[in-house]
């Protein structure tokens, strides 16, 4: 058995998949999907399946990755995990909004404008606050709360300027601190310099020529609901400042079965097997999907906790059963790999 790991533009992006394969003593190759000879590397050996790690920082590399896995999966018919659809809607908020509309999945109303005049006319009679989003950007980057018409007009002006809309420069300030960043720089100056160059490049790559507006949903938290294979997890992401995304604030409460039902229904209908779905809980509208990520990390060792015990939920003939245990080792990449093996009949 041979597995191909398709890394993205970040040379470290295969580390977790590599560790998962090593934990199970599985043979693997790491293939740089950004390299010019990617097609030769993908086809020169017979791989049982490919493990994906689409990037989430640069739009051009995300497009490159999507195009190449389209060829690998849809044209060449090679097995991949996660699925093409899961990877395609990942870190593409404009596409995700179209997908949620088409699939009739409840979500905050989202509007995409490629014409500045249309965008300005749109906000003319809108209630505020309104959310402005960049199409790519994890952990709350690229999300702005627009509190007035003047804010929105300024946002549109930036979007259609030469500079575009900028995302956050540097690490997540909510969970980090200057001291932590300095400590990391001292410990690994080469990594610090490389990361600094990436932050500068991200900042220079403003989103230009279009805007994404999303209806503001009043909230104190959002649910992080996860499905990997037959395992289900959830916890609350507590709001920090104006946003829950990127806050890293965790409240381990036993999730309502209605939330798990909502998650399962979405995943069953869309054949999702590796997703984290961020969900608002609105008193009038019910559960609303805010974000969908197919590859995600977690700073905590586990995603679900019930009565102080880490574990997972499984669905047994419509009934939700809690099973205590450590199912999120290696940032859940071990569980993802086990799921891929089950899907392709290797375990």
């Amino acid at each position: 058995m041979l597995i191909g790991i398709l890394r993205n533009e970040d040379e470290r992006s295969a580390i977790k998949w590599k560790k998962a394969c090593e934990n199970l003593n599985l043979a693997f190759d790491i293939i740089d999907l950004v390299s010019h000879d990617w097609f030769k590397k993908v086809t020169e050996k017979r791989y049982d399946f490919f493990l994906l790690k689409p990037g989430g920082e640069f739009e051009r590399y995300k497009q490159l990755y999507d195009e190449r896995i389209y060829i690998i999966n849809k044209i060449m018919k090679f097995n991949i995990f996660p699925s093409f659809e899961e990877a395609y809607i990942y870190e593409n908020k404009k596409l995700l909004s179209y997908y949620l509309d088409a699939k009739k999945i409840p979500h905050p109303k989202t509007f995409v404008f490629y014409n500045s005049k249309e965008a300005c006319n749109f906000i003319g009679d809108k209630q505020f606050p309104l959310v402005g989003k960049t199409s790519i950007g994890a952990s709350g980057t690229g999300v702005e709360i627009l509190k007035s018409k003047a804010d929105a007009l300024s946002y549109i002006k930036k979007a259609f300027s030469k500079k575009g809309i900028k995302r956050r420069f540097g690490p997540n300030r909510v969970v980090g601190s200057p001291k932590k960043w300095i400590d990391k720089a001292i410990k690994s100056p080469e990594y610090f310099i490389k990361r600094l160059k990436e932050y500068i490049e991200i900042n220079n790559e403003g989103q230009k020529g279009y805007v994404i507006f999303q209806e503001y949903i009043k909230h104190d938290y959002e649910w992080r609901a996860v499905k990997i294979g037959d395992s289900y997890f959830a916890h609350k992401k507590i709001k920090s400042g104006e946003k829950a995304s990127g806050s890293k604030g965790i409240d381990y409460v036993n999730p309502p079965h209605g939330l798990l039902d909502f998650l399962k229904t979405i995943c069953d209908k869309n054949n999702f097997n590796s997703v984290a779905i961020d969900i608002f809980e609105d008193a009038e509208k019910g559960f609303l999907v805010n974000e969908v990520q197919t590859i995600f990390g977690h700073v905590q060792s586990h995603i679900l906790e019930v009565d102080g015990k880490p574990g997972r939920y499984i669905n047994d003939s419509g009934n939700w059963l809690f099973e205590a245990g450590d199912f999120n080792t290696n940032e859940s990449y071990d569980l993802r790999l086990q799921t891929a093996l089950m899907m392709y009949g290797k375990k």
Side-chain angles (χ1 to χ4, degrees):
M1 184 177 186
L2 183 60
I3 296 170
I5 301 173
L6 303 180
R7 80 165 179 85
N8 59 45
E9 71 277 5
D10 183 349
E11 62 188 18
R12 301 156 297 168
S13 60
I15 290 174
K16 298 296 182 181
W17 279 131
K18 177 177 181 290
K19 184 177 179 181
C21 290
E22 291 172 343
N23 288 342
L24 292 178
N25 296 313
L26 297 173
F28 64 90
D29 288 330
I30 296 175
I31 299 170
D32 180 2
L33 201 61
V34 177
S35 175
H36 76 283
D37 62 350
W38 67 276
F39 189 83
K40 177 185 175 185
K41 295 294 185 184
V42 164
T43 56
E44 67 184 357
K45 295 181 184 179
R46 186 178 181 86
Y47 292 99
D48 290 87
F49 56 88
F50 294 96
L51 298 171
L52 309 184
K53 183 60 172 71
E57 293 191 329
F58 300 99
E59 279 198 83
R60 68 182 186 281
Y61 286 128
K62 176 64 168 65
Q63 182 179 354
L64 174 152
Y65 203 96
D66 290 343
E67 291 170 350
R68 294 181 179 182
I69 62 170
Y70 175 82
I71 298 299
I72 290 166
N73 179 239
K74 299 299 183 181
I75 305 302
M76 304 299 293
K77 305 300 182 183
F78 294 151
N79 294 326
I80 62 174
F81 183 90
S83 69
F84 175 78
E85 286 74 17
E86 286 170 292
Y88 192 36
I89 63 175
Y90 169 73
E91 285 303 333
N92 188 336
K93 295 180 181 65
K94 56 183 185 298
L95 175 63
L96 176 63
S97 72
Y98 312 150
Y99 186 92
L100 296 175
D101 279 338
K103 293 287 187 172
K104 295 182 170 55
I105 297 172
H107 63 285
K109 294 177 182 177
T110 306
F111 310 88
V112 182
F113 296 97
Y114 279 80
N115 181 287
S116 60
K117 185 176 180 180
E118 281 188 340
C120 291
N121 289 339
F122 167 78
I123 65 165
D125 60 352
K126 283 291 171 290
Q127 291 185 336
F128 291 88
L130 192 65
V131 181
K133 288 188 171 184
T134 56
S135 189
I136 195 168
S139 299
T141 61
V143 177
E144 292 188 38
I145 309 300
L146 308 171
K147 297 181 178 179
S148 67
K149 183 177 179 180
D151 286 346
L153 288 172
S154 176
Y155 188 82
I156 294 168
K157 185 176 180 179
K158 284 190 291 185
F160 290 91
S161 71
K162 291 182 179 179
K163 291 184 178 180
I165 298 168
K166 303 294 186 181
R167 283 180 279 152
R168 181 186 67 220
F169 181 83
N172 188 339
R173 294 167 179 78
V174 175
V175 297
S177 69
K179 183 180 182 303
K180 288 182 180 179
W181 304 334
I182 292 170
D183 289 344
K184 288 181 180 179
I186 293 172
K187 185 180 294 186
S188 180
E190 289 184 0
Y191 172 73
F192 174 79
I193 292 170
K194 183 178 187 300
R195 198 67 181 129
L196 179 61
K197 290 179 179 177
E198 289 174 350
Y199 286 137
I200 292 171
E201 187 176 0
I202 289 169
N203 187 254
N204 289 336
E205 188 184 67
Q207 177 176 291
K208 304 170 188 176
Y210 67 93
V211 290
I212 304 171
F213 291 130
Q214 182 176 292
E215 170 191 14
Y216 180 81
I217 303 296
K218 188 176 180 180
H219 64 286
D220 295 318
Y221 64 88
E222 65 181 357
W223 289 102
R224 164 55 62 93
V226 172
K227 181 202 175 186
I228 302 175
D230 294 328
S231 301
Y232 293 81
F233 312 88
H235 60 249
K236 284 183 178 179
K237 294 167 61 178
I238 303 303
K239 190 174 177 181
S240 176
E242 296 179 320
K243 298 177 287 186
S245 295
S247 72
K248 302 295 191 277
I250 304 299
D251 187 8
Y252 288 116
V253 297
N254 194 358
H257 288 184
L259 175 75
L260 298 176
D261 289 337
F262 182 73
L263 172 64
K264 185 176 186 299
T265 297
I266 292 173
C267 292
D268 287 351
K269 289 183 176 180
N270 295 277
N271 197 30
F272 290 164
N273 283 289
S274 174
V275 288
I277 303 182
D278 293 334
I279 300 171
F280 291 131
E281 188 173 5
D282 185 77
E284 295 182 0
K285 299 180 180 180
F287 294 120
L288 301 170
V289 171
N290 184 34
E291 302 280 358
V292 180
Q293 300 97 6
T294 188
I295 294 293
F296 53 93
H298 42 86
V299 294
Q300 69 279 24
S301 62
H302 53 278
I303 306 174
L304 171 72
E305 185 178 299
V306 176
D307 296 330
K309 297 178 181 179
R312 67 178 176 181
Y313 270 103
I314 58 173
N315 190 275
D316 183 12
S317 302
N319 298 311
W320 289 106
L321 304 178
F322 175 73
E323 181 180 349
D326 188 3
F327 300 100
N328 301 122
T329 56
N330 189 26
E331 286 190 15
S332 298
Y333 279 81
D334 293 340
L335 183 59
R336 290 188 183 99
L337 179 55
Q338 292 165 17
T339 301
L341 291 168
M342 294 288 288
M343 286 177 60
Y344 296 119
K346 302 298 180 180
K347 191 176 180 182

